[in-house]
Amino acid sequence: MDNNVPVMQSQIELIDILHQTAQTGAGENVDHSQFRDEILTAYRIRKVETKFLELFSRSKISGTVHTCVGQELTGVALAKHLQPGDWITSNHRCHGHFIARTGNWQGLIDELLGMKTGISKGIGSSQHLFAPGFISNGTQGSLLPVASGMGLAMNKRGQPNIAVSFIGEGTLGEGITYETMNLSSIFGSPHLIVLENNYYSQTTPQAHAVSGSIRGRAEAFGLECFETDTWNLTDLLETCGKAVAHVRDTRRPAFLRIDTYRLLAHSKGDDDRERSEVEKYESLDLLNRLANDSEFTGAFAAIANEIDDYSEERLLNKELYDYAEYRTDQLPRATSARTVPVENPGGIFVKVLNEAYKSILLEKTGIFIGEDIADPYGGAFKVTRGFQDLRPDQVFSTSISEAGLVGLAIGFAVSGFSAYAEIMFGDFIVNAMDQILNNASKFHHMYGKQTDCPVTIRTPMGARRGYGPTHSQSIEKLLLGLDNLLVAAPTSLCDPTPLIAGLEAQTCPRVVIENKTDYGNPLYQPPENLLLEKIGGDLGTLALSPVGGRPTLAIVTYGFLARLVADDFERIFRETDRVPILIAPQLLSPVPVAHIERLIRRVDHVIVAEEGSEGFGWSDGVVCQLLQRNRACRYATLGADPVPIPSDRQLESLSLVSTDKIIATALRLDQDHD
Ligand SMILES: Cc1ncc(C[n+]2csc(CCOP(=O)(O)OP(=O)(O)O)c2C)c(N)n1
Ligand SMILES: [Mg+2]
């Protein structure tokens, strides 16, 4: 034991205690024939997984496999108490949970063989399994808030169902575990967190990774705690039954710790444990002890043969999922469409946004989740003010838990609710990135297109209010181009109501970037000599140009900057001596390049400006796409300076894109031309 490692107990002590537990349970004199079904399912799981290892060694499957050999009974015992409509979320070590829950071992074999008949169409493979009532992924802890949201959705529908999440004790190191315990407890989600405590996190012994009390962690959040292990089958089945019944009946979260031991490597060959330690558990393992029990040997052999025969037959008939079908995403693509004049109603932008979202709350049973969105406060920027008063059961004001609240919203979205998560300041969206990237954007594809995740994540970005470095940044560049994620930016240049309704109709996940300076603007009313138009329908692109003029300078930008350019249109015209056209996409990603291309048809100078800092951003993407379409213009990109936004108002404005900078850039383009 390394004395420098601050631990409560050494790993040797912990393993000794576990060994005592295992010996006591395994020494019990029980008639195992009463558990025949459970034992045969556990055996089937073991045989399927050892078959995977064999197929691996024959190079018939690729990637990785985490077996639960030695731990099979956890999933079996839990699944025994579940009902149709209950959901399991699982992790990398998910095969056992899946077979126990669904019985579909053939679909699982097909999946790992990469076949289109696999449960995730061969896309997810070992770690990303899908069936009605079951999802798993390979990001530790990531599905915990999703399960919590599913549980709340079940409550809302009045279903007597529950959500069960499996995690390993190494995942106690993830903050999302505690965000979820807290949120599930506060909102009363019927969510059972099952900790499979196998004393190792990959190669790291528990003593080096988990400080303090495991039970104390759950109790601190008010979760009822249950404890059992995989060696005392009677107690395991009973305790799982009690834990499930508790959650089902009380509609409250609970925590179930199951001590267990993994007999094989973490994945394929990574095992640093003392062989003598593993051997102790091999001899105590129930399936090993029953290997020569005449009560079971016949059935065991039949199961093994069935799995052998099935997998060999499948190897001969491997059919892949159609890649052309797979590669399509859910994102709306701009086509060159009709241009229509825009007439804006009156009203302050934030109030119009509030009304647009409110109609979704009322008409679509929208769920709105965010920090401090409860009335009377109604959210830091009041976009959801009045919502909770109207529909108290649909509005959740949460703890400071960006990942947790976005995960909850995802849980609602996949359960069929219209789900909106608010991130109080855009800078904090990074705290929820795992949820956005590994869950929301990937669910549809990684589960073989069998589910959608139409969640909306809204957040204000932008500076100009003196909030300083951590509350002013525009970090849309971190979200742009993420697969299957739509990024939109309403602007006070036009009524955002059709955009919000159009986004709601999409099946893909989306981030809506609102601008906190733009909130206070009245909706734009063009002067008589300017024409405001929209091309491409609800999610379309706005264009502002002089009536009857022939533009020679396009300024392509969005959000507040679009409004800034519109307000300073005359000045830009005057000082550049060029006729401008403002092009303002409401969709940032995917870039509506067909719209922009059409609108810059007769223009020779194009400035693309973004709120975020310069480099590797939206403007670079837009210019690149236009160039690839052979739009031979002179281009310039403009962004904020590549430094954290200063708080001081004067310094702040120096760091940002301004009308002065746009004009200077236009003049530079002219000079370059000469
Ligand atoms: C967020 C995240 N970090 C790291 C990993 C890599 N990883 C996969 S499994 C694992 C260990 C998990 O240990 P534990 O939670 O105890 O589960 P066990 O493997 O013991 O079942 C790690 C570090 C991951 N999959 N996800
Ligand atoms: Mg572990």
Side-chain angles (χ1 to χ4, degrees), residues 144 165 167-169 172 177-178 181 191-197 213-219 221-228 239 243 246-247 252-258:
L144 285 169
S165 295
I167 57 168
E169 89 297 336
L172 293 174
T177 308
Y178 308 103
M181 285 186 189
H191 181 204
L192 178 62
I193 298 178
V194 182
L195 183 86
E196 290 183 284
N197 190 32
S213 153
I214 292 180
R215 189 184 177 101
R217 285 166 160 76
E219 282 179 342
F221 294 100
L223 271 62
E224 188 76 17
C225 286
F226 300 84
E227 288 169 339
T228 183
T239 309
H246 178 85
V247 173
R252 298 242 347 121
F255 182 78
L256 166 61
R257 164 181 170 165
I258 307 180

Side-chain angles (χ1 to χ4, degrees), residues 249-261:
D249 297 345
T250 62
R251 315 308 292 162
R252 298 242 347 121
F255 182 78
L256 166 61
R257 164 181 170 165
I258 307 180
D259 281 7
T260 188
Y261 193 85

Side-chain angles (χ1 to χ4, degrees), residues 71 93 168-171 196-202 262:
Q71 306 185 186
R93 212 173 292 291
E169 89 297 336
T171 304
E196 290 183 284
N197 190 32
N198 63 10
Y199 289 79
Y200 289 91
S201 165
Q202 200 148 336
R262 151 169 72 72

Side-chain angles (χ1 to χ4, degrees), residues 27-346:
E28 270 199 345
N29 197 10
V30 263
D31 170 14
H32 285 110
S33 62
Q34 60 179 314
F35 303 126
R36 188 177 173 80
D37 287 351
E38 290 79 17
I39 288 168
L40 292 185
T41 306
Y43 187 79
R44 187 179 292 282
I45 293 169
R46 184 166 298 184
K47 280 292 140 187
V48 168
E49 288 203 315
T50 45
K51 174 56 72 180
F52 288 153
L53 293 176
E54 180 209 313
L55 290 169
F56 220 103
S57 65
R58 290 162 56 195
S59 304
K60 297 296 181 195
I61 53 181
S62 56
T64 193
V65 170
H66 306 88
T67 71
C68 67
V69 172
Q71 306 185 186
E72 297 91 344
L73 288 166
T74 59
V76 175
L78 246 302
K80 186 180 167 66
H81 302 285
L82 298 185
Q83 298 176 358
D86 292 340
W87 274 82
I88 285 182
T89 71
S90 177
N91 56 8
H92 58 301
R93 212 173 292 291
C94 51
H95 309 146
H97 310 145
F98 182 83
I99 293 176
R101 175 74 176 126
T102 67
N104 187 5
W105 58 273
Q106 299 95 328
L108 182 64
I109 290 178
D110 287 9
E111 182 61 33
L112 273 85
L113 289 175
M115 297 176 63
K116 72 177 190 184
T117 42
I119 43 157
S120 299
K121 307 256 168 67
I123 305 296
S125 192
S126 169
Q127 304 186 73
H128 314 100
L129 310 182
F130 179 88
F134 191 99
I135 48 171
S136 65
N137 82 10
T139 319
Q140 303 310 325
S142 185
L143 289 177
L144 285 169
V146 177
S148 177
M150 286 172 163
L152 291 171
M154 292 164 187
N155 280 354
K156 202 142 285 309
R157 292 222 162 87
Q159 293 169 224
N161 288 114
I162 70 167
V164 176
S165 295
F166 284 95
I167 57 168
E169 89 297 336
T171 304
L172 293 174
E174 288 285 356
I176 192 65
T177 308
Y178 308 103
E179 287 191 25
T180 307
M181 285 186 189
N182 191 40
L183 291 166
S184 286
S185 189
I186 285 168
F187 294 128
S189 176
H191 181 204
L192 178 62
I193 298 178
V194 182
L195 183 86
E196 290 183 284
N197 190 32
N198 63 10
Y199 289 79
Y200 289 91
S201 165
Q202 200 148 336
T203 60
T204 306
Q206 184 179 129
H208 293 208
V210 183
S211 63
S213 153
I214 292 180
R215 189 184 177 101
R217 285 166 160 76
E219 282 179 342
F221 294 100
L223 271 62
E224 188 76 17
C225 286
F226 300 84
E227 288 169 339
T228 183
D229 62 77
T230 49
W231 293 280
N232 187 333
L233 189 48
T234 318
D235 186 70
L236 175 70
L237 289 166
E238 248 179 55
T239 309
C240 288
K242 278 187 201 153
V244 166
H246 178 85
V247 173
R248 203 181 295 289
D249 297 345
T250 62
R251 315 308 292 162
R252 298 242 347 121
F255 182 78
L256 166 61
R257 164 181 170 165
I258 307 180
D259 281 7
T260 188
Y261 193 85
R262 151 169 72 72
L263 293 178
L264 298 183
H266 166 73
S267 49
K268 290 158 305 181
D270 40 358
D271 199 353
D272 302 329
R273 297 169 304 181
E274 290 291 334
R275 191 65 208 133
S276 58
E277 180 188 301
V278 180
E279 279 166 3
K280 281 188 198 170
Y281 294 95
E282 282 173 349
S283 65
L284 295 171
D285 175 76
L286 179 61
L287 295 181
N288 285 345
R289 285 189 293 122
L290 295 176
N292 297 317
D293 184 326
S294 58
E295 171 86 25
F296 290 98
T297 43
F300 281 177
I303 289 173
N305 286 338
E306 208 182 357
I307 291 165
D308 278 343
D309 292 349
Y310 183 81
S311 39
E312 293 308 319
E313 187 268 324
R314 299 310 274 164
L315 280 174
L316 300 174
N317 292 299
K318 183 165 169 168
E319 257 191 274
L320 288 182
Y321 185 43
D322 177 34
Y323 184 70
E325 148 65 11
Y326 175 67
R327 86 179 292 284
T328 57
D329 59 47
Q330 302 180 302
L331 301 176
R333 289 290 182 319
T335 49
S336 197
R338 240 161 41 93
T339 305
V340 291
V342 174
E343 268 186 46
N344 283 331

